[in-house]
Amino acid sequence: MARFLSLFRPQPFLGLLGRRNPTFCNMSMDSQARETFRAAVEAVQPDTVVRQSIERNGDSVVIDGCRLTLSHNLHLVGFGKAVLGMAAEVERILGDHLVRGVISVPHGIQQTLQQHGKSHLLLEADSRIKVMEGAKHNLPDDDSLKAAEGIKQLATELTEKDLLLVLISGGGSALLPAPIPPISLQEKLDVTRRLAAAGATIQELNKVRRALSLLKGGGLAHHAHPAQVVSLILSDVIGDPLDLIASGPTVTCEVWPEEVLSILERHKLLSSMPASVTQVLARQGPRWKENDKHSDSPGEALNAVIGSNTVALTCAGQRVRELGFRPVVLSPGVCGNVRLVSRLYGLLARFACSREEPPPEIAAEVLRLGPEVGVESWDLCRTMQVLGEERAEGWGATCVLAGGEPTVELTGKGRGGRNQELALRVGLELRGLELPPQGPVFLSGGTDGQDGPTEAAGAVTDAGLYDEARAQGLDIDSFLSNNDSYTFFSRLSAGERLLAPGLTCTNVMDVHVLLIPAIPIKIS
């Protein structure tokens, strides 16, 4: 343990904080946390990430370091919750070379954007891009199936002179269902549901989905060959794995029928498969071997992640520096049970807020928790070193930023989501520390603007949560056991702690903000 603790010995901190923006000087810590979250969401707006990723220069364009020639040869397809805004920006930048496009977007999204004053994320009336809405309730349906067929048709007709720009964001998998004939959409859905119920791993589920799909796992890029394919991706998956975002339609990831048969047999489902599934899996070799003029082509594409949790946290860090805090990014991949995640943030807050040298037990428990919540020991050590420097140098004002997708163990039937429950549990962990502005503030929010089945995206909390709830007759434990965090925060002080940004038009998972003020320390 002495070896670990040596990492936290105060080192001189010579860097200067950025100049504070006068606009933010008189903000409460609650408002500063909300402003930080707003900056994170702003950074990953669909039009913003597209604009920053495309460098237009006459009749050429540079994307992810690759220069592409434009000659009225640009075609566009897209699928996902944020794709409409992405497509609108692409057309503004490259529209003079755009031949046609088809995008699959959520049911009702155009009307919703119009109602919320987000017309800049809508296509113009004379757009060459066809918008197809579907996937009600985030589930594949006949409308999204028709959209997928339209996208496949466009891709199949391309030649070696064409450039296909593919726009992908979270929710894209449900908006691009294309089962291999004669499998029906319902049959494919039933197979994956039965596998999930049988305890199949996410890796097994993905292999089966790809093996039964024409477009997932590189299928779209394959059908677009010999055209050049470039994908712009807004990631909603931890670690930004290209093969998992919308099931990787432009990432070659072949699954052979023999593998899928083995998975189905392992879970005792092989004998009860529909005849259509059995027929498809009886074919030898990869999916596209038979009756495909491009069967030998790899279907490779340039895949560029242009928006992610990391991008959001980076821009949030720039904003907190303007607010007068020193930012430190813990990790964009926080996961695991919210009970453990809340404990981690509570320990980090106590480590940073200690007026004396924090007891070594805190650092030891932080390092023990790391692997269980998806955070590397090195990142924990680095974060605690920064917090230690702040204490020793007397700067003190620090902001720990993180993101990801923790999970909630459902034990009740209340309303809420992982962000609200995390904020509630962190509030309990902070109990006993000082209240703001002398004590820490924590915010957890979903960048998609919605946390579970509620209109809130998350909540803001601090060390006064327990006493505030008790004074208002609210039993925190009962709300937690019923997974009813939304009802709790709605009743607590008239809902003033809820985070409700409204329609955000994006999704890069969650953002966590832990603001720690300057702490007067005792020097022995």
Side-chain angles (χ1 to χ4, degrees):
M1 183 50 61
R3 181 164 61 94
F4 284 127
L5 293 179
S6 66
L7 292 172
F8 312 132
R9 288 175 185 164
Q11 304 293 328
F13 173 48
L14 301 179
L16 296 177
L17 289 172
R19 182 174 299 174
R20 294 186 65 175
N21 188 323
T23 306
F24 303 135
C25 285
N26 297 319
M27 275 187 176
S28 67
M29 288 182 67
D30 177 290
S31 297
Q32 289 172 326
R34 294 173 188 269
E35 173 63 24
T36 302
F37 177 77
R38 189 181 71 82
V41 171
E42 268 188 0
V44 288
Q45 287 297 295
D47 56 332
T48 300
V49 294
V50 166
R51 190 163 54 249
Q52 293 176 345
S53 65
I54 295 179
E55 182 184 341
R56 174 75 184 270
N57 185 9
D59 288 340
S60 69
V61 60
V62 177
I63 297 176
D64 199 31
C66 180
R67 183 174 296 276
L68 306 165
T69 300
L70 300 172
S71 181
H72 305 287
N73 60 340
L74 178 64
H75 302 257
L76 181 147
V77 297
F79 30 90
K81 296 179 180 179
V83 155
L84 186 57
M86 295 170 74
E89 190 63 23
V90 167
E91 192 161 30
R92 278 190 282 268
I93 300 171
L94 305 175
D96 55 326
H97 285 278
L98 180 64
V99 178
R100 57 176 174 160
V102 178
I103 58 175
S104 178
V105 297
H107 176 79
I109 186 65
Q110 295 177 95
Q111 182 180 356
T112 300
L113 289 172
Q114 193 72 54
Q115 291 173 343
H116 285 78
K118 305 278 188 178
S119 58
H120 64 289
L121 299 178
L122 294 169
L123 297 170
E124 299 293 338
D126 59 350
S127 172
R128 293 186 176 93
I129 301 171
K130 181 179 181 179
V131 180
M132 303 183 73
E133 296 187 356
K136 285 185 180 179
H137 313 298
N138 295 325
L139 295 173
D141 57 17
D142 289 339
D143 290 331
S144 58
L145 182 61
K146 289 177 183 176
E149 290 170 350
I151 289 171
K152 176 179 173 290
Q153 183 65 30
L154 184 153
T156 303
E157 295 173 357
L158 300 179
T159 72
E160 68 276 1
K161 297 179 181 180
D162 293 315
L163 170 62
L164 178 64
L165 189 59
V166 183
L167 307 178
I168 303 174
S169 75
S173 185
L175 288 160
L176 194 73
I180 297 175
I183 302 173
S184 71
L185 178 59
Q186 190 58 52
E187 285 173 332
K188 183 183 174 186
L189 291 174
D190 287 343
V191 169
T192 52
R193 283 174 184 153
R194 290 175 61 191
L195 264 174
T201 66
I202 186 62
Q203 291 82 5
E204 290 175 327
L205 285 169
N206 284 332
K207 284 185 178 182
V208 173
R209 272 194 287 253
R210 290 172 187 144
L212 304 182
S213 173
L214 282 172
L215 300 180
K216 293 180 170 66
L220 177 59
H222 176 88
H223 283 87
H225 184 83
Q228 187 165 18
V229 179
V230 178
S231 293
L232 302 182
I233 302 168
L234 187 60
S235 171
D236 67 336
V237 182
I238 287 177
D240 308 328
L242 296 175
D243 62 320
L244 294 186
I245 304 169
S247 299
T250 56
V251 181
T252 302
C253 186
E254 188 52 78
V255 178
W256 293 57
E258 294 84 352
E259 280 189 90
V260 178
L261 291 170
S262 175
I263 292 171
L264 294 173
E265 187 173 13
R266 188 180 310 134
H267 294 284
K268 298 179 173 58
L269 296 175
L270 185 57
S271 61
S272 59
M273 283 294 102
S276 59
V277 173
T278 304
Q279 179 181 336
V280 168
L281 295 179
R283 300 170 186 169
Q284 295 299 309
R287 282 175 288 175
W288 306 300
K289 183 176 180 181
E290 294 185 1
N291 302 320
D292 192 323
K293 63 179 180 178
H294 305 314
S295 61
D296 295 327
S297 64
E300 294 295 340
L302 169 64
N303 293 288
V305 176
I306 61 174
S308 65
N309 195 268
T310 297
V311 171
L313 295 181
T314 299
C315 292
Q318 294 170 356
R319 183 56 50 86
V320 297
R321 194 173 287 278
E322 294 176 350
L323 292 167
F325 293 82
R326 182 186 182 185
V328 53
V329 176
L330 174 63
S331 171
V334 176
C335 56
N337 194 295
V338 291
R339 293 173 181 266
L340 301 177
V341 177
S342 64
R343 179 61 178 160
L344 177 70
Y345 287 130
L347 289 167
L348 289 175
R350 291 184 183 280
F351 181 92
C353 293
S354 177
R355 293 176 179 269
E356 299 176 343
E357 190 68 24
E361 292 80 10
I362 293 182
E365 189 174 353
V366 165
L367 291 170
R368 182 187 62 78
L369 280 172
E372 299 188 66
V373 296
V375 183
E376 297 288 341
S377 295
W378 164 248
D379 289 322
L380 292 167
C381 292
R382 175 180 51 80
T383 299
M384 286 191 283
Q385 183 171 357
V386 171
L387 295 176
E389 288 174 354
E390 298 295 88
R391 290 179 58 262
E393 295 291 331
W395 294 92
T398 317
C399 177
V400 177
L401 294 164
E405 277 191 350
T407 54
V408 173
E409 182 182 351
L410 294 178
T411 56
K413 298 181 179 180
R415 298 181 69 202
R418 59 180 179 266
N419 289 284
Q420 293 167 83
E421 182 156 330
L422 178 59
L424 180 49
R425 290 186 180 279
V426 170
L428 290 179
E429 292 288 342
L430 298 180
R431 185 183 176 192
L433 296 178
E434 293 194 54
L435 302 181
Q438 284 74 40
V441 164
F442 178 80
L443 174 150
S444 183
T447 57
D448 63 350
Q450 191 171 13
D451 188 35
T454 75
E455 61 268 26
V460 186
T461 192
D462 56 49
L465 181 77
Y466 178 84
D467 290 336
E468 185 179 332
R470 187 177 181 184
Q472 296 175 35
L474 300 175
D475 180 4
I476 292 180
D477 289 338
S478 65
F479 284 101
L480 283 174
S481 63
N482 195 35
N483 299 118
D484 205 13
S485 53
Y486 176 74
T487 302
F488 170 81
F489 280 114
S490 296
R491 294 180 182 176
L492 184 72
S493 303
E496 65 180 18
R497 289 181 179 267
L498 282 171
L499 176 67
L503 184 68
T504 65
C505 307
T506 190
N507 181 21
V508 293
M509 301 180 291
D510 305 333
V511 168
H512 305 152
V513 180
L514 177 61
L515 294 180
I516 299 165
I519 305 295
I521 61 172
K522 296 179 182 179
I523 301 177
S524 56

Short mmCIF file of all heavy atoms in Angstrom, two decimals, residues 36-46 81-82 118 170 234-237 307-313 316 402-405 418-419 443-452 456-458 499-513:
data_model
loop_
_atom_site.label_atom_id
_atom_site.label_comp_id
_atom_site.label_asym_id
_atom_site.label_seq_id
_atom_site.Cartn_x
_atom_site.Cartn_y
_atom_site.Cartn_z
N THR A 36 -21.72 22.96 -16.76
CA THR A 36 -20.72 21.99 -17.24
C THR A 36 -21.39 20.90 -18.06
O THR A 36 -20.90 20.51 -19.13
CB THR A 36 -19.98 21.38 -16.05
OG1 THR A 36 -19.37 22.41 -15.29
CG2 THR A 36 -18.91 20.40 -16.52
N PHE A 37 -22.52 20.41 -17.57
CA PHE A 37 -23.27 19.39 -18.31
C PHE A 37 -23.76 19.95 -19.64
O PHE A 37 -23.68 19.28 -20.67
CB PHE A 37 -24.46 18.91 -17.47
CG PHE A 37 -25.34 17.92 -18.18
CD1 PHE A 37 -24.96 16.59 -18.31
CD2 PHE A 37 -26.56 18.31 -18.73
CE1 PHE A 37 -25.76 15.67 -18.97
CE2 PHE A 37 -27.37 17.40 -19.39
CZ PHE A 37 -26.97 16.07 -19.50
N ARG A 38 -24.24 21.18 -19.62
CA ARG A 38 -24.73 21.80 -20.86
C ARG A 38 -23.61 21.90 -21.89
O ARG A 38 -23.82 21.64 -23.08
CB ARG A 38 -25.29 23.19 -20.57
CG ARG A 38 -26.01 23.84 -21.74
CD ARG A 38 -26.52 25.22 -21.39
NE ARG A 38 -25.41 26.14 -21.27
CZ ARG A 38 -24.81 26.74 -22.31
NH1 ARG A 38 -25.22 26.48 -23.54
NH2 ARG A 38 -23.82 27.57 -22.13
N ALA A 39 -22.40 22.24 -21.45
CA ALA A 39 -21.27 22.34 -22.37
C ALA A 39 -20.94 20.98 -22.96
O ALA A 39 -20.57 20.87 -24.14
CB ALA A 39 -20.05 22.91 -21.63
N ALA A 40 -21.05 19.92 -22.15
CA ALA A 40 -20.79 18.57 -22.64
C ALA A 40 -21.77 18.19 -23.74
O ALA A 40 -21.39 17.63 -24.79
CB ALA A 40 -20.86 17.57 -21.49
N VAL A 41 -23.05 18.49 -23.52
CA VAL A 41 -24.08 18.16 -24.52
C VAL A 41 -23.92 19.00 -25.78
O VAL A 41 -24.07 18.50 -26.90
CB VAL A 41 -25.48 18.36 -23.90
CG1 VAL A 41 -26.57 18.23 -24.96
CG2 VAL A 41 -25.72 17.35 -22.78
N GLU A 42 -23.58 20.28 -25.60
CA GLU A 42 -23.38 21.15 -26.76
C GLU A 42 -22.28 20.63 -27.68
O GLU A 42 -22.36 20.74 -28.90
CB GLU A 42 -22.99 22.56 -26.28
CG GLU A 42 -24.16 23.50 -26.10
CD GLU A 42 -23.69 24.92 -25.82
OE1 GLU A 42 -22.46 25.16 -25.77
OE2 GLU A 42 -24.56 25.79 -25.63
N ALA A 43 -21.24 20.06 -27.06
CA ALA A 43 -20.08 19.61 -27.83
C ALA A 43 -20.39 18.46 -28.77
O ALA A 43 -19.66 18.25 -29.75
CB ALA A 43 -18.96 19.21 -26.88
N VAL A 44 -21.45 17.71 -28.48
CA VAL A 44 -21.76 16.53 -29.30
C VAL A 44 -23.12 16.66 -30.00
O VAL A 44 -23.79 15.68 -30.29
CB VAL A 44 -21.71 15.24 -28.44
CG1 VAL A 44 -20.27 14.89 -28.09
CG2 VAL A 44 -22.53 15.38 -27.16
N GLN A 45 -23.50 17.90 -30.30
CA GLN A 45 -24.67 18.11 -31.12
C GLN A 45 -24.41 17.55 -32.52
O GLN A 45 -23.29 17.65 -33.04
CB GLN A 45 -25.01 19.59 -31.20
CG GLN A 45 -25.61 20.15 -29.94
CD GLN A 45 -26.95 19.50 -29.61
OE1 GLN A 45 -27.93 19.63 -30.34
NE2 GLN A 45 -26.98 18.76 -28.50
N PRO A 46 -25.40 16.94 -33.15
CA PRO A 46 -25.17 16.28 -34.44
C PRO A 46 -24.60 17.20 -35.52
O PRO A 46 -23.71 16.79 -36.27
CB PRO A 46 -26.55 15.73 -34.82
CG PRO A 46 -27.52 16.42 -33.92
CD PRO A 46 -26.79 16.77 -32.69
N LYS A 81 -30.76 7.96 -33.98
CA LYS A 81 -31.58 9.01 -33.37
C LYS A 81 -31.08 10.42 -33.68
O LYS A 81 -31.85 11.38 -33.67
CB LYS A 81 -31.64 8.80 -31.86
CG LYS A 81 -32.33 7.51 -31.44
CD LYS A 81 -32.34 7.35 -29.93
CE LYS A 81 -33.05 6.06 -29.52
NZ LYS A 81 -33.06 5.88 -28.05
N ALA A 82 -29.78 10.56 -33.95
CA ALA A 82 -29.22 11.89 -34.19
C ALA A 82 -28.92 12.14 -35.67
O ALA A 82 -28.37 13.18 -36.02
CB ALA A 82 -27.94 12.06 -33.38
N LYS A 118 -36.00 23.38 -33.16
CA LYS A 118 -34.71 22.86 -33.62
C LYS A 118 -34.70 22.73 -35.14
O LYS A 118 -34.25 21.74 -35.69
CB LYS A 118 -34.45 21.49 -32.99
CG LYS A 118 -34.52 21.47 -31.46
CD LYS A 118 -33.23 21.94 -30.84
CE LYS A 118 -33.25 21.74 -29.32
NZ LYS A 118 -31.99 22.15 -28.68
N GLY A 170 -26.46 6.42 -32.15
CA GLY A 170 -27.16 5.50 -31.27
C GLY A 170 -28.59 5.26 -31.72
O GLY A 170 -29.25 6.17 -32.24
N LEU A 234 -21.46 8.79 -34.44
CA LEU A 234 -21.68 9.40 -33.13
C LEU A 234 -21.90 8.25 -32.15
O LEU A 234 -22.94 7.60 -32.17
CB LEU A 234 -22.90 10.33 -33.18
CG LEU A 234 -23.21 11.19 -31.95
CD1 LEU A 234 -22.06 12.12 -31.63
CD2 LEU A 234 -24.47 12.00 -32.17
N SER A 235 -20.90 8.00 -31.30
CA SER A 235 -20.88 6.77 -30.50
C SER A 235 -21.68 6.88 -29.20
O SER A 235 -21.56 7.87 -28.47
CB SER A 235 -19.44 6.41 -30.16
OG SER A 235 -19.39 5.34 -29.22
N ASP A 236 -22.45 5.83 -28.92
CA ASP A 236 -23.16 5.74 -27.64
C ASP A 236 -22.78 4.46 -26.90
O ASP A 236 -23.54 3.96 -26.08
CB ASP A 236 -24.68 5.77 -27.87
CG ASP A 236 -25.20 4.53 -28.60
OD1 ASP A 236 -24.39 3.89 -29.31
OD2 ASP A 236 -26.38 4.20 -28.46
N VAL A 237 -21.58 3.94 -27.20
CA VAL A 237 -21.13 2.69 -26.60
C VAL A 237 -19.79 2.93 -25.89
O VAL A 237 -18.91 3.61 -26.43
CB VAL A 237 -20.97 1.58 -27.66
CG1 VAL A 237 -20.54 0.27 -27.01
CG2 VAL A 237 -22.28 1.39 -28.43
N GLY A 307 -18.03 11.89 -32.71
CA GLY A 307 -18.60 12.35 -31.45
C GLY A 307 -18.69 11.21 -30.47
O GLY A 307 -19.05 10.09 -30.84
N SER A 308 -18.32 11.46 -29.22
CA SER A 308 -18.29 10.40 -28.22
C SER A 308 -18.32 11.00 -26.83
O SER A 308 -18.27 12.23 -26.66
CB SER A 308 -17.01 9.57 -28.38
OG SER A 308 -15.87 10.38 -28.10
N ASN A 309 -18.37 10.14 -25.83
CA ASN A 309 -18.32 10.61 -24.45
C ASN A 309 -17.02 11.35 -24.17
O ASN A 309 -16.99 12.34 -23.45
CB ASN A 309 -18.48 9.42 -23.49
CG ASN A 309 -18.81 9.85 -22.08
OD1 ASN A 309 -17.91 10.03 -21.27
ND2 ASN A 309 -20.08 10.04 -21.77
N THR A 310 -15.93 10.87 -24.75
CA THR A 310 -14.63 11.53 -24.56
C THR A 310 -14.66 12.96 -25.08
O THR A 310 -14.14 13.88 -24.44
CB THR A 310 -13.53 10.74 -25.28
OG1 THR A 310 -13.43 9.44 -24.68
CG2 THR A 310 -12.19 11.43 -25.17
N VAL A 311 -15.27 13.17 -26.24
CA VAL A 311 -15.39 14.53 -26.79
C VAL A 311 -16.21 15.41 -25.85
O VAL A 311 -15.84 16.56 -25.57
CB VAL A 311 -16.05 14.48 -28.19
CG1 VAL A 311 -16.38 15.88 -28.68
CG2 VAL A 311 -15.15 13.76 -29.18
N ALA A 312 -17.30 14.86 -25.34
CA ALA A 312 -18.15 15.62 -24.42
C ALA A 312 -17.39 16.01 -23.15
O ALA A 312 -17.48 17.15 -22.68
CB ALA A 312 -19.39 14.80 -24.05
N LEU A 313 -16.63 15.08 -22.59
CA LEU A 313 -15.89 15.36 -21.37
C LEU A 313 -14.77 16.37 -21.61
O LEU A 313 -14.49 17.21 -20.74
CB LEU A 313 -15.30 14.07 -20.80
CG LEU A 313 -16.30 13.02 -20.32
CD1 LEU A 313 -15.57 11.81 -19.76
CD2 LEU A 313 -17.26 13.59 -19.27
N ALA A 316 -16.43 19.69 -21.68
CA ALA A 316 -16.87 20.02 -20.33
C ALA A 316 -15.69 20.50 -19.49
O ALA A 316 -15.81 21.43 -18.68
CB ALA A 316 -17.51 18.79 -19.68
N ALA A 402 -16.38 12.40 -15.52
CA ALA A 402 -16.39 11.01 -15.96
C ALA A 402 -17.66 10.77 -16.77
O ALA A 402 -18.57 11.61 -16.81
CB ALA A 402 -16.32 10.05 -14.78
N GLY A 403 -17.70 9.62 -17.42
CA GLY A 403 -18.89 9.26 -18.19
C GLY A 403 -19.00 7.76 -18.32
O GLY A 403 -18.15 7.02 -17.84
N GLY A 404 -20.04 7.31 -18.98
CA GLY A 404 -20.24 5.89 -19.16
C GLY A 404 -21.69 5.51 -18.99
O GLY A 404 -22.60 6.32 -19.24
N GLU A 405 -21.94 4.29 -18.54
CA GLU A 405 -23.30 3.79 -18.34
C GLU A 405 -23.34 2.80 -17.19
O GLU A 405 -23.25 1.58 -17.41
CB GLU A 405 -23.84 3.12 -19.61
CG GLU A 405 -24.41 4.09 -20.61
CD GLU A 405 -25.18 3.38 -21.73
OE1 GLU A 405 -25.11 2.15 -21.84
OE2 GLU A 405 -25.84 4.08 -22.49
N ARG A 418 -30.81 5.43 -14.21
CA ARG A 418 -29.52 5.23 -13.55
C ARG A 418 -28.90 6.54 -13.07
O ARG A 418 -28.22 6.57 -12.05
CB ARG A 418 -28.57 4.51 -14.49
CG ARG A 418 -28.29 5.20 -15.80
CD ARG A 418 -27.33 4.43 -16.68
NE ARG A 418 -27.10 5.12 -17.95
CZ ARG A 418 -27.77 4.87 -19.07
NH1 ARG A 418 -28.70 3.94 -19.08
NH2 ARG A 418 -27.50 5.54 -20.18
N ASN A 419 -29.14 7.64 -13.80
CA ASN A 419 -28.54 8.91 -13.40
C ASN A 419 -29.17 9.46 -12.13
O ASN A 419 -28.46 9.94 -11.23
CB ASN A 419 -28.66 9.92 -14.54
CG ASN A 419 -27.75 9.60 -15.69
OD1 ASN A 419 -26.55 9.83 -15.61
ND2 ASN A 419 -28.31 9.06 -16.76
N LEU A 443 -23.26 15.91 -10.00
CA LEU A 443 -24.32 15.84 -11.02
C LEU A 443 -24.12 14.59 -11.86
O LEU A 443 -22.99 14.25 -12.23
CB LEU A 443 -24.29 17.08 -11.92
CG LEU A 443 -25.24 17.13 -13.13
CD1 LEU A 443 -25.65 18.57 -13.44
CD2 LEU A 443 -24.63 16.49 -14.39
N SER A 444 -25.21 13.92 -12.16
CA SER A 444 -25.20 12.82 -13.11
C SER A 444 -26.33 13.04 -14.10
O SER A 444 -27.48 13.25 -13.70
CB SER A 444 -25.38 11.47 -12.41
OG SER A 444 -25.30 10.40 -13.33
N GLY A 445 -26.00 13.03 -15.41
CA GLY A 445 -27.02 13.29 -16.41
C GLY A 445 -26.81 12.51 -17.69
O GLY A 445 -25.68 12.27 -18.11
N GLY A 446 -27.90 12.09 -18.31
CA GLY A 446 -27.85 11.41 -19.59
C GLY A 446 -27.82 12.42 -20.72
O GLY A 446 -28.67 13.31 -20.78
N THR A 447 -26.86 12.30 -21.61
CA THR A 447 -26.73 13.29 -22.68
C THR A 447 -27.88 13.25 -23.67
O THR A 447 -28.06 14.17 -24.46
CB THR A 447 -25.40 13.11 -23.44
OG1 THR A 447 -25.33 11.77 -23.94
CG2 THR A 447 -24.21 13.37 -22.52
N ASP A 448 -28.68 12.17 -23.65
CA ASP A 448 -29.85 12.12 -24.53
C ASP A 448 -31.04 12.87 -23.95
O ASP A 448 -32.10 12.94 -24.57
CB ASP A 448 -30.24 10.68 -24.84
CG ASP A 448 -30.66 9.89 -23.61
OD1 ASP A 448 -30.47 10.41 -22.48
OD2 ASP A 448 -31.14 8.76 -23.76
N GLY A 449 -30.87 13.45 -22.76
CA GLY A 449 -31.92 14.28 -22.17
C GLY A 449 -33.00 13.53 -21.45
O GLY A 449 -33.94 14.12 -20.91
N GLN A 450 -32.88 12.20 -21.38
CA GLN A 450 -33.92 11.41 -20.75
C GLN A 450 -33.29 10.29 -19.95
O GLN A 450 -32.43 9.56 -20.45
CB GLN A 450 -34.87 10.83 -21.80
CG GLN A 450 -36.13 10.22 -21.21
CD GLN A 450 -37.15 9.87 -22.28
OE1 GLN A 450 -36.84 9.86 -23.46
NE2 GLN A 450 -38.36 9.57 -21.88
N ASP A 451 -33.72 10.16 -18.70
CA ASP A 451 -33.16 9.14 -17.80
C ASP A 451 -34.26 8.15 -17.46
O ASP A 451 -35.12 8.43 -16.62
CB ASP A 451 -32.63 9.83 -16.54
CG ASP A 451 -31.86 8.87 -15.64
OD1 ASP A 451 -31.18 7.98 -16.17
OD2 ASP A 451 -31.92 9.03 -14.41
N GLY A 452 -34.22 7.00 -18.12
CA GLY A 452 -35.30 6.05 -17.91
C GLY A 452 -36.60 6.58 -18.48
O GLY A 452 -36.60 7.42 -19.37
N ALA A 456 -36.82 13.75 -16.98
CA ALA A 456 -35.56 14.24 -16.42
C ALA A 456 -34.38 13.51 -17.05
O ALA A 456 -34.51 12.37 -17.51
CB ALA A 456 -35.55 14.03 -14.91
N ALA A 457 -33.21 14.18 -17.06
CA ALA A 457 -31.99 13.55 -17.57
C ALA A 457 -31.12 13.07 -16.43
O ALA A 457 -30.17 12.31 -16.64
CB ALA A 457 -31.21 14.53 -18.43
N GLY A 458 -31.42 13.51 -15.20
CA GLY A 458 -30.61 13.16 -14.05
C GLY A 458 -30.92 14.09 -12.90
O GLY A 458 -32.02 14.63 -12.81
N LEU A 499 -32.50 17.44 -13.08
CA LEU A 499 -31.84 17.97 -14.28
C LEU A 499 -32.75 17.68 -15.46
O LEU A 499 -32.97 16.52 -15.81
CB LEU A 499 -30.48 17.29 -14.46
CG LEU A 499 -29.67 17.63 -15.71
CD1 LEU A 499 -29.21 19.09 -15.67
CD2 LEU A 499 -28.47 16.70 -15.84
N ALA A 500 -33.30 18.72 -16.07
CA ALA A 500 -34.27 18.53 -17.16
C ALA A 500 -33.91 19.46 -18.32
O ALA A 500 -34.49 20.53 -18.49
CB ALA A 500 -35.68 18.80 -16.66
N PRO A 501 -32.94 19.06 -19.15
CA PRO A 501 -32.50 19.92 -20.26
C PRO A 501 -33.43 19.94 -21.46
O PRO A 501 -33.24 20.72 -22.38
CB PRO A 501 -31.15 19.31 -20.64
CG PRO A 501 -31.30 17.86 -20.31
CD PRO A 501 -32.18 17.80 -19.08
N GLY A 502 -34.43 19.06 -21.48
CA GLY A 502 -35.30 18.96 -22.63
C GLY A 502 -34.66 18.16 -23.76
O GLY A 502 -33.74 17.38 -23.54
N LEU A 503 -35.16 18.36 -24.97
CA LEU A 503 -34.68 17.61 -26.13
C LEU A 503 -33.23 17.99 -26.42
O LEU A 503 -32.93 19.14 -26.73
CB LEU A 503 -35.55 17.93 -27.34
CG LEU A 503 -35.26 17.15 -28.62
CD1 LEU A 503 -35.61 15.69 -28.46
CD2 LEU A 503 -36.03 17.77 -29.79
N THR A 504 -32.30 17.03 -26.33
CA THR A 504 -30.89 17.31 -26.56
C THR A 504 -30.43 16.96 -27.97
O THR A 504 -29.39 17.44 -28.42
CB THR A 504 -30.00 16.55 -25.57
OG1 THR A 504 -30.14 15.14 -25.81
CG2 THR A 504 -30.37 16.87 -24.14
N CYS A 505 -31.15 16.08 -28.65
CA CYS A 505 -30.86 15.70 -30.05
C CYS A 505 -29.57 14.90 -30.21
O CYS A 505 -29.04 14.79 -31.32
CB CYS A 505 -30.80 16.94 -30.95
SG CYS A 505 -32.25 17.99 -30.83
N THR A 506 -29.04 14.36 -29.12
CA THR A 506 -27.80 13.59 -29.21
C THR A 506 -27.80 12.50 -28.16
O THR A 506 -28.72 12.41 -27.35
CB THR A 506 -26.58 14.52 -29.04
OG1 THR A 506 -25.39 13.81 -29.37
CG2 THR A 506 -26.49 15.05 -27.61
N ASN A 507 -26.76 11.68 -28.16
CA ASN A 507 -26.60 10.66 -27.11
C ASN A 507 -25.19 10.08 -27.16
O ASN A 507 -24.83 9.40 -28.11
CB ASN A 507 -27.61 9.52 -27.27
CG ASN A 507 -27.47 8.47 -26.18
OD1 ASN A 507 -26.91 8.74 -25.12
ND2 ASN A 507 -27.96 7.28 -26.43
N VAL A 508 -24.41 10.40 -26.13
CA VAL A 508 -23.08 9.79 -25.96
C VAL A 508 -22.96 9.24 -24.53
O VAL A 508 -21.97 9.43 -23.85
CB VAL A 508 -21.93 10.78 -26.27
CG1 VAL A 508 -21.92 11.15 -27.74
CG2 VAL A 508 -22.05 12.03 -25.40
N MET A 509 -24.04 8.59 -24.09
CA MET A 509 -24.11 8.02 -22.74
C MET A 509 -24.23 9.12 -21.69
O MET A 509 -24.80 10.17 -21.96
CB MET A 509 -22.92 7.10 -22.48
CG MET A 509 -22.80 5.94 -23.45
SD MET A 509 -21.39 4.87 -23.11
CE MET A 509 -20.02 5.95 -23.52
N ASP A 510 -23.68 8.89 -20.50
CA ASP A 510 -23.89 9.79 -19.36
C ASP A 510 -22.66 10.63 -19.07
O ASP A 510 -21.53 10.28 -19.44
CB ASP A 510 -24.24 8.98 -18.11
CG ASP A 510 -25.43 8.05 -18.32
OD1 ASP A 510 -26.27 8.37 -19.19
OD2 ASP A 510 -25.51 7.02 -17.63
N VAL A 511 -22.89 11.75 -18.37
CA VAL A 511 -21.81 12.61 -17.90
C VAL A 511 -21.94 12.77 -16.39
O VAL A 511 -23.03 13.05 -15.88
CB VAL A 511 -21.87 13.99 -18.59
CG1 VAL A 511 -20.94 14.98 -17.90
CG2 VAL A 511 -21.49 13.86 -20.06
N HIS A 512 -20.82 12.57 -15.68
CA HIS A 512 -20.78 12.74 -14.23
C HIS A 512 -19.87 13.92 -13.89
O HIS A 512 -18.75 14.01 -14.44
CB HIS A 512 -20.24 11.48 -13.54
CG HIS A 512 -20.98 10.24 -13.89
ND1 HIS A 512 -20.40 8.98 -13.89
CD2 HIS A 512 -22.27 10.04 -14.31
CE1 HIS A 512 -21.29 8.08 -14.25
NE2 HIS A 512 -22.43 8.70 -14.53
N VAL A 513 -20.33 14.80 -13.03
CA VAL A 513 -19.58 16.00 -12.66
C VAL A 513 -19.47 16.06 -11.14
O VAL A 513 -20.49 16.11 -10.44
CB VAL A 513 -20.28 17.28 -13.17
CG1 VAL A 513 -19.48 18.53 -12.78
CG2 VAL A 513 -20.48 17.22 -14.68
#
